[in-house]
Each structure stands twice: as C-alpha cells, then as structure tokens.
C-alpha cells in the first residue's frame, strides 16, 4: 500500500456504538431525559452479566453529555502530518542531526456507520493518486465513555530533509539545512490505552470522534499504558559524504552516530488531565496533556567493532498532547483537532528524540436518526 494513494484511516468510536447498545444514563440524572429516551436507554435488569459489563463502559450523565442521535455519518477531512527526528551524542564532543520530511497534506471523504469510519485520502502536493512515494500512515482510535485506545503505524522511507546539524568545533552547518537526505528510514508501531475517571460527565468522543456532544464544561483525570516500537535505518556514510560535499572539508561523525540499524522499544505508564470547555452553544474547546514514565530498551549496530551491538535501557519521560475545537449541533459538525506524541531516549553517549502528529480539519453531517430519537426529530 502506498501513501500516494493514501492511507485508510480507521476512526472507531465506541461511544457511537454505546449510544445504541451499550449506553446507559446515570440514575440520578434520569429525570433530565425525555420519556421516550428513558425507555430506550434504561438497562434491563434481566440481561446477562456480559451485557451489563459492556453497558458500564458507556454510562453517561445526560446533563453533561448528549448521546449520538444518528446511525450514519458522512465527512470530508484534511489531514496534515508532521514527523521530526533528532539523533545526537551526549559526550564532550556533542553532535546532533535533526531531520524531518515535508509536512504531508491529504484530503478525502469518510463514511461512517455507528462506530466505524472508513476513508480514502490523496496527497494534495502532487495530485497523483498513483504516486510512488514509499510512505504509509495508518491510525485507528477507539473511544468509549470510559476507555480510549489509539493504534498507529507509520513508515517513511527516503523522504527526509536535513533541518538542523550541529557538528561541534564552531563549524558552520547552514549549507546543509533544507537538503534532501535519502539515507534515513523510520517506522513506528504502537498503541496507547487509557482510562477516563470522570467518564460519566466528561466526553472524549465529543472532542475527537464527534459521536457525542458535550453540553456543560467538565474535565477528567486519565491514566494509561502504552507501547511503541521504533525502527531506524541510518546511512551514516552517506551523511558524511553530504557533509563533505557541502562544507568542503572532512568531518567525521561521532561513533555514537555511526550506526546502521537501531530498534527502540518503549513501555510506558501515563497520567494526564483533559478538559472540555463549552464556551458557547454547540461549541467545544478541548485540551489534553498526558506525561508518561517510560522504560526504554534498544538494540542496534554501529560502524566500529568495539561499538557493535550496543544496548541501552533506562527510564525517560514521554508526552502526548491533544487539542480540539468542535462545533456540533447533533446533525452537522465541523472542527479541527491536533495530536502530537513525543518520545525521548537518552543514555550516556547517545540520545534520540522523535515528535510526530496530525492536524485534522473536517466538516460532516449525521443522518438516519436512531429509533429512540426519530420521533423527537419529526416533532421539530
């Protein structure tokens, strides 16, 4: 699969599903729901333990959160992707290389049924559906009232540009900035799973899945776990050749940067806070920040025999930030959301930093009212 054609993005919102089969209303707020809606969402005491357990994941307080009213959705979305890598040494002779590809811009339609969204996007930079770029991005998100999960995979090959270089000894490296460099290949695979404590009154899907609507401002603490696997292939000899050609002098990279392949594994536990601010009718501004204490391990190969097969394992702090602004009147919605993930690795002689994220701008509509809300829509 090629990202020129682009990528199939799966955004699965369990809250939309919960509104139909799992969602229940907090008992002390039952009086806020219309009678016909009470009959639909009131749990059956005779139902099995599995269904009762599943329902608990979708419990909401309807004084704060409005459930999804529709079965179907159609959306047009623009996705801007960003990826940044910094490799460096931490010894007395510090060197660093910062590389990032051109920001990707893709657009396409999405069609959803309850909790599943499927879409197709194409690259706006070259208007070529059959582009030969070797880049792949797949993201899937699951949002219920109580639990959320992100699964992601990114692969970028020969698509990086040199953004900044520091070689020490007061060497002027500005001639290197902006140059294309096809000696770096990166793939990232991972997931994040998190629990939302104030899930009955705070809705993550209202900000990032448009499957519910936040009616009153509210926030919540969150806790989660995560795992990522980074695979980096770096042609340090080609980098030295580029440096020599552009600077006109022989500059050797520090042995800490003279590696061929490195694989990073990251296991983390996180805690964070998110707040939904309803600043006007049908408008929502959400900000979320989570910090993770992560255990890192890595294996790789360096150019010199004495460094071959180096390992390092330690604890570092990672971060995930989210921001969203949404207008949603149940039938129509529009907005923008941004997600940025930062991963840091540091040891006595080597350091790596990676930041990647997405900015999504979208507009859409819901249709096909659910049975519980059909009569209410007809009466309007």
């Amino acid at each position: 699969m090629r990202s020129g054609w682009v990528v199939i993005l799966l955004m699965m919102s369990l809250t939309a599903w919960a509104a139909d089969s799992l969602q229940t209303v907090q008992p002390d707020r039952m009086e806020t729901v219309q009678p016909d809606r009470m009959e639909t969402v009131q749990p059956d005491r005779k139902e099995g333990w599995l269904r009762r357990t599943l329902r608990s994941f979708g419990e909401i307080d309807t004084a704060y959160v409005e459930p999804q009213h529709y079965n179907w959705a159609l959306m047009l979305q623009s996705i801007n992707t960003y990826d940044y890598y910094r490799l460096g040494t931490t010894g007395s002779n510090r060197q660093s290389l910062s590389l990032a590809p051109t920001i990707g811009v893709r657009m396409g339609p999405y069609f959803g049924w309850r909790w599943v969204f499927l879409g197709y996007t194409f690259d706006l930079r070259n208007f070529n559906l059959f582009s030969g770029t070797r880049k792949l991005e797949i993201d899937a998100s699951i949002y219920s009232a109580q639990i959320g999960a992100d699964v992601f995979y990114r692969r970028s090959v020969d698509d990086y540009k040199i953004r900044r270089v520091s070689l020490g000894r007061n060497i002027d490296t500005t001639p290197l900035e902006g140059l294309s460099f096809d000696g770096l290949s990166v793939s990232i695979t991972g997931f994040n799973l998190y629990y939302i404590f104030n899930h009955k009154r705070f809705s993550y899907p209202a900000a990032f899945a448009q499957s519910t609507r936040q009616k009153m401002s509210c926030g919540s603490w969150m806790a989660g776990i995560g795992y990522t696997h980074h695979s980096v292939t770096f042609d340090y000899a080609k980098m030295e050749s580029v440096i020599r050609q552009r600077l006109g002098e022989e500059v050797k990279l520090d042995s800490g940067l003279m590696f061929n392949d490195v694989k990073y594994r990251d296991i983390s536990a996180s805690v964070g806070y998110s707040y939904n601010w309803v600043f006007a009718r049908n408008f929502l501004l959400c900000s979320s920040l989570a910090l993770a204490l992560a255990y890192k391990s890595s294996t790789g190969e360096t150019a010199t025999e004495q460094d071959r097969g180096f390992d390092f394992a330690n604890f570092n702090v990672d971060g995930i930030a989210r921001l969203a602004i949404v207008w949603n009147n149940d039938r129509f919605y529009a907005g923008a959301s941004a997600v940025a993930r930062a991963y840091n690795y540091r040891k006595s002689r080597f350091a790596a930093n990676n930041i990647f994220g997405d900015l999504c701008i979208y507009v859409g509509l819901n249709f096909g009212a659910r049975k519980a809300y059909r009569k209410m829509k007809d009466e309007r």
Side-chain angles (χ1 to χ4, degrees), residues 233-307:
T233 300
F234 177 59
D235 190 337
Y236 69 91
K238 182 173 289 188
M239 176 60 75
E240 286 184 330
S241 176
V242 171
I243 293 173
R244 182 171 57 253
Q245 292 174 9
R246 300 297 294 189
L247 301 186
E249 60 178 302
E250 189 73 25
V251 179
K252 296 292 292 183
L253 293 178
D254 186 274
S255 61
L257 291 175
M258 298 174 69
F259 64 87
N260 299 314
D261 299 281
V262 176
K263 299 183 187 300
Y264 306 88
R265 293 175 179 83
D266 179 318
I267 301 174
S268 63
S270 64
V271 62
Y273 188 81
S274 186
Y275 189 79
N276 281 347
W277 176 34
V278 181
F279 59 91
R281 179 177 175 81
N282 297 329
F283 280 92
L284 169 67
L285 178 65
C286 175
S287 61
S288 176
L289 177 64
L291 297 179
L293 181 63
Y295 175 80
K296 314 290 176 57
S297 64
S298 176
T299 58
E301 294 182 356
T302 59
T304 57
E305 185 65 30
Q306 61 267 29
D307 291 326

Side-chain angles (χ1 to χ4, degrees), residues 7-206:
V7 178
I8 297 177
L9 174 66
L10 300 175
M11 295 187 308
M12 297 173 290
S13 173
L14 282 182
T15 304
W17 174 40
D20 178 63
S21 60
L22 304 182
Q23 197 172 75
T24 60
V25 177
Q26 189 175 352
D28 61 355
R29 294 288 179 177
M30 275 294 205
E31 69 276 8
T32 67
V33 186
Q34 296 183 8
D36 61 331
R37 201 180 310 179
M38 288 174 59
E39 295 175 3
T40 301
V41 298
Q42 187 173 15
D44 183 358
R45 296 182 179 180
K46 297 181 180 180
E47 64 189 5
W49 66 270
L50 178 59
R51 187 170 180 83
R52 289 197 306 270
T53 301
L54 292 176
R55 278 186 178 277
S56 67
F57 288 101
E59 290 181 347
I60 61 171
D61 181 342
T62 57
Y64 285 79
V65 180
E66 184 69 17
Q68 175 64 283
H69 293 190
Y70 299 88
N71 287 312
W72 303 89
L74 185 63
M75 179 173 68
L76 179 66
Q77 180 170 239
S78 169
I79 305 174
N80 303 269
T81 59
Y82 179 76
D83 190 5
Y84 173 87
Y85 245 95
R86 180 184 180 276
L87 306 173
T89 60
T90 58
S92 58
N93 182 30
R94 292 188 178 182
Q95 295 181 343
S96 65
L97 306 169
S98 300
L99 304 102
T102 302
I103 294 178
V105 181
R106 310 190 310 275
M107 178 176 287
Y110 290 78
F111 183 74
W113 175 77
R114 296 190 180 181
W115 58 282
V116 177
F117 265 85
L118 297 177
Y120 176 93
T121 60
F122 57 91
D123 194 336
L124 295 182
R125 290 180 300 173
N126 49 31
F127 295 94
N128 185 357
L129 297 181
F130 301 95
S131 169
T133 181
R134 292 186 290 168
K135 190 174 182 180
L136 176 63
E137 299 169 10
I138 298 177
D139 294 273
S141 296
I142 300 174
Y143 299 106
S144 72
Q146 193 170 2
I147 293 177
D150 301 314
V151 180
F152 49 88
Y153 173 77
R154 294 194 175 206
R155 180 174 179 268
S156 184
V157 179
D158 304 340
D159 189 39
Y160 285 84
K161 290 186 177 181
I162 300 173
R163 301 302 180 182
R164 188 174 180 181
V165 180
S166 176
L167 299 174
R169 298 182 298 168
N170 298 319
I171 297 176
D172 181 13
T173 59
T174 53
L176 297 169
E177 296 177 2
L179 291 179
S180 296
F181 180 68
D182 60 359
L184 179 67
S185 301
V186 177
S187 67
I188 305 170
T189 306
F191 74 88
N192 295 304
L193 178 66
Y194 42 90
Y195 179 85
I196 301 169
F197 289 95
N198 191 21
H199 56 86
K200 294 182 180 181
R201 295 184 175 183
F202 170 84
S203 176
Y204 226 39

Side-chain angles (χ1 to χ4, degrees), residues 346-357:
R346 187 177 180 87
K347 199 58 178 176
S348 59
R349 69 181 186 86
F350 180 80
N353 309 98
N354 175 221
I355 300 174
F356 70 92

Side-chain angles (χ1 to χ4, degrees), residues 332-347:
F332 300 96
Y333 58 88
S337 63
V339 180
R341 298 178 175 89
Y343 298 94
N344 302 291
Y345 304 82
R346 187 177 180 87
K347 199 58 178 176

